[in-house]
Amino acid sequence: MKKFILTSFALLGFATVNAQNNQVTLNVKLKPIQTLLVNPAQKEVDLLYTTAADYSGGVSSTQADHLTVYSTGGFEVKVKSGDANIVNGSKNIAANTITITASNGSNNSITGATYTPISLSNNDQVIATSATGGVNKNINVTYAGAGADTYVNNYIAGQTPTTYTTTLTYTILAK
């Protein structure tokens, strides 16, 4: 029996186990993502002048959590008007008589953001910047129309109210 076992080992030999190294390179590739949403309930903003005090002092409308930002890193938010002059018939209002001021949102605001008030223009202007990104961060926006009786001669008889309309475009860019 001993001969049989020894013979079996001799015939089979000792198997050599070789460990194999198989390597995989794993890459995590992050591309910038920025989304900017306007609160759907605030797609139309009115600056309503109804009294002499409104014409002399100006009016404003603050839209809480007006913009929502998702950004994978630093970003800037810009705004521009579709027109340099907002026209109704033969009369117009200069877009730059309207001020836009961004601020921290009422809910889930952006930590460390910088906000810059601007006079509306048909050129992109930065209203908010942040060195860091965030998920669904909110920005309040206040729209303010001129005072000092700037619009006193812009009412058109027979139109109640006389309405001047422009489209604002907000954009977000990676920074």
Side-chain angles (χ1 to χ4, degrees):
M1 177 84 155
K2 286 184 183 178
K3 279 187 177 181
F4 175 71
I5 294 175
L6 288 176
T7 306
S8 296
F9 279 123
L11 291 175
L12 294 175
F14 285 100
T16 305
V17 177
N18 289 327
Q20 293 184 356
N21 252 346
N22 290 307
Q23 296 178 335
V24 172
T25 300
L26 173 66
N27 299 308
V28 177
K29 297 182 177 187
L30 305 174
K31 293 191 174 191
I33 295 174
Q34 284 76 37
T35 61
L36 178 66
L37 300 172
V38 174
N39 185 327
Q42 300 169 340
K43 290 278 188 170
E44 190 169 307
V45 177
D46 293 329
L47 296 177
L48 185 59
Y49 288 76
T50 58
T51 67
D54 292 342
Y55 282 94
S56 65
V59 299
S60 65
S61 176
T62 298
Q63 304 296 306
D65 300 329
H66 192 49
L67 305 174
T68 301
V69 171
Y70 181 104
S71 182
T72 55
F75 63 90
E76 62 184 18
V77 175
K78 297 180 178 185
V79 64
K80 72 176 181 175
S81 170
D83 308 286
N85 291 301
I86 308 166
V87 178
N88 183 330
S90 62
K91 295 189 181 252
N92 67 68
I93 292 175
N96 66 7
T97 63
I98 298 169
T99 302
I100 295 180
T101 305
S103 61
N104 276 333
S106 304
N107 297 299
N108 200 24
S109 62
I110 304 163
T111 304
T114 302
Y115 300 103
T116 307
I118 57 104
S119 293
L120 190 58
S121 167
N122 61 337
N123 296 312
D124 279 322
Q125 296 182 83
V126 176
I127 61 168
T129 60
S130 177
T132 59
V135 175
N136 298 328
K137 299 294 185 177
N138 292 315
I139 299 173
N140 295 340
V141 177
T142 300
Y143 299 88
D149 298 314
T150 301
Y151 307 142
V152 76
N153 288 312
N154 287 89
Y155 171 75
I156 299 171
Q159 295 181 6
T160 304
T162 299
T163 302
Y164 293 81
T165 301
T166 189
T167 300
L168 303 185
T169 303
Y170 286 93
T171 55
I172 185 170
L173 300 167
K175 188 171 179 208

